[in-house]
Amino acid sequence: MKPSLLDDPAATGTLDAAGMLGTIARSPGFATWVLATHAASDGKGTLAMIASHVAGMTIKGVFIVGMGGSAISGDLLADWLRPVLPVPLLVFRDYDLPPWIDRTWLGIFLSYSGNTEETLSTYIDAKERGIPGICITAGGALGRFAAATGDPRVEVPGGLQPRAALLYLFPTLAITFSGLGLVDGPAMAGELRGCIPLLEDTCKRYGPDVPAATNPAKQLAMKLHGTVAAIYGFGQYTSVARRFKGQINENGKNPAYFDVLSELNHNETVGWENDDGVTGHVSCIMIRDPDHESPAIATRAGFTRQLVEKKAASIIELQPTGTSRLARMLSLVLLADYASTYLAILNGKDPTPVEYIQGLKDELGRKVNMLQALEQRLSVIAGKVND
Ligand code: PA5
């Protein structure tokens, strides 16, 4: 293997000016912070606050509202808990709720910045319908909205890009959800705690000090470089595939899309029949987990691989590490974090800023100013709360 730019600390440090690689390396510590801060069952902290908020309520379903780097925590939670959930757990990314969501549901509103208009708008919609809510945020308008309505506000430290705060947001969401009493909360916290050594070890294996020759995250970035990334997941790795796509977009500044087995065998696969050279610009990542794949999924994945490898720029099979369901999911999440950051460096970009997202948010603030209208609706709701 020829020397890689990724092994040049000076070049890497210059491009990664805001220190995304350092943030990823510290991120297992974020989960430790959450467990220490929000998971205490001493009858006083976050869990007690949530239990008292839902006391006497029969929860028919839970929905999580968020966008982008905040919403993905909801997807991860739903995939993780799918085998044990007694009620629906849905993720909404929109400006309002479907008409059939009523007061028998509980909403968890997740926005790292606290200023995302879709999340704020859906929160107001929920409060106008009398739906109980819990807000998770590092501050912003969502924190103020929760203070005005009296809903619990669970806080995480600010100062990061939302996507880089995943290991604050996801564990906080998990602990918050566990406080609803729908699943075995101590077992959830235990599984989460059990992931931390694996996450720390994963950071050591993929970190910038490990040369490309022995660093799977750098190797993955080098294969993706110059191509559109297609990430194929299945089952509980649906959210992981989605996170991979988002990280390749936002960190890597690179086009990417994701799809999942078995659905992709009913449409996406046929696209690979193309002979005009389009497919030669696509790198395909297939998430595999042989010990946890059904025979049908294993057969589908093998068949799909045979079709794709004839045409793709490259095909890469990724397998998780760890033993618990959550550890296996998060091991791939960290790989995505590192590989996408290395891809940004190969693309000559700083992984941290997201100018196009910020530019659109600024434009919406200037042209639509939804916050003003939401504040007015909030004052009506808050007036009723205080009557
Ligand atoms: O990663 C990002 O910066 C985005 O995907 C944001 O998460 C998204 O725009 C929503 O913002 P927030 O997470 O602050 O609600």
Side-chain angles (χ1 to χ4, degrees):
M1 180 177 283
K2 64 180 191 243
S4 170
L5 170 72
L6 300 174
D7 292 339
D8 177 349
T12 301
T14 304
L15 280 166
D16 184 18
M20 182 63 80
L21 285 168
T23 302
I24 300 168
R26 289 189 289 114
S27 65
F30 303 166
T32 306
W33 180 92
V34 172
L35 287 163
T37 307
H38 292 307
S41 47
D42 55 3
K44 294 192 285 248
T46 305
L47 287 172
M49 173 174 74
I50 291 161
S52 117
H53 188 59
V54 299
M57 184 184 172
T58 303
I59 299 172
K60 297 269 174 57
V62 177
F63 62 89
I64 294 164
V65 176
M67 301 301 296
S70 289
I72 192 68
S73 288
D75 301 317
L76 289 165
L77 187 75
D79 278 349
W80 175 28
L81 297 184
R82 190 170 189 260
V84 297
L85 280 174
V87 297
L89 174 56
L90 305 179
V91 181
F92 293 135
R93 296 168 162 88
D94 210 334
Y95 283 93
D96 54 15
L97 294 167
W100 45 266
I101 293 280
D102 61 20
R103 292 168 189 223
T104 61
W105 287 71
L106 180 123
I108 303 180
F109 299 83
L110 197 60
S111 171
Y112 186 68
S113 65
N115 293 323
T116 298
E117 63 175 32
E118 296 95 318
T119 312
L120 293 171
S121 168
T122 306
Y123 182 68
I124 294 296
D125 181 26
K127 298 324 294 176
E128 287 172 343
R129 298 190 205 184
I131 294 166
I134 300 171
C135 297
I136 299 176
T137 182
L142 187 60
R144 278 193 289 109
F145 282 23
T149 64
D151 276 341
R153 180 178 56 188
V154 186
E155 293 190 356
V156 294
L160 298 171
Q161 288 288 329
R163 64 190 183 282
L166 183 84
L167 288 179
Y168 279 131
L169 290 170
F170 169 71
T172 301
L173 175 63
I175 297 300
T176 300
F177 184 85
S178 79
L180 303 178
L182 297 168
V183 292
D184 182 344
M188 272 179 77
E191 189 170 335
L192 194 51
R193 191 171 282 112
C195 293
I196 293 172
L198 173 85
L199 295 177
E200 288 166 345
D201 182 58
T202 305
C203 287
K204 285 186 195 128
R205 287 194 295 127
Y206 300 153
D209 298 339
V210 182
T214 55
N215 186 327
K218 289 183 180 177
Q219 290 167 12
L220 178 55
M222 289 156 75
K223 283 192 182 145
L224 297 178
H225 185 215
T227 67
V228 174
I231 303 100
Y232 293 168
F234 70 93
Q236 77 261 34
Y237 299 105
T238 302
S239 51
V240 175
R242 187 175 194 137
R243 168 74 175 179
F244 238 111
K245 172 237 183 278
Q247 290 297 78
I248 289 172
N249 295 149
E250 290 192 58
N251 285 344
K253 279 62 180 184
N254 205 92
Y257 67 97
F258 81 99
D259 212 326
V260 286
L261 290 167
S262 61
E263 171 66 18
L264 72 84
N265 288 145
H266 298 271
N267 35 65
E268 165 81 10
T269 342
V270 187
W272 290 95
E273 278 190 28
N274 183 284
D275 284 323
D276 275 354
V278 176
T279 50
H281 299 287
V282 180
S283 293
C284 184
I285 295 175
M286 295 190 74
I287 298 175
R288 302 292 310 267
D289 191 354
D291 294 340
H292 299 85
E293 286 170 2
S294 67
I297 289 293
T299 304
R300 286 175 180 279
F303 190 85
T304 304
R305 185 193 166 114
Q306 280 175 14
L307 299 178
V308 170
E309 67 191 351
K310 293 184 200 131
K311 306 274 182 78
S314 59
I315 184 152
I316 307 124
E317 282 198 5
L318 298 180
Q319 292 192 16
T321 53
T323 47
S324 73
R325 183 175 172 98
L326 181 61
R328 296 175 80 70
M329 291 167 63
L330 293 182
S331 69
L332 291 176
V333 164
L334 267 187
L335 175 57
D337 289 354
Y338 273 109
S340 60
T341 302
Y342 293 134
L343 181 59
I345 291 162
L346 294 176
N347 281 335
K349 301 281 191 187
D350 184 336
T352 300
V354 279
E355 280 172 28
Y356 286 6
I357 294 177
Q358 198 49 52
L360 178 60
K361 286 182 177 179
D362 293 347
E363 174 102 336
L364 283 162
R366 279 191 304 273
K367 291 198 169 158
V368 184
N369 195 4
M370 182 173 289
L371 186 59
Q372 201 174 30
L374 293 175
E375 298 268 15
Q376 276 166 7
R377 288 165 66 189
L378 176 71
S379 63
V380 176
I381 298 162
K384 286 187 189 147
V385 170
N386 294 327
D387 275 350

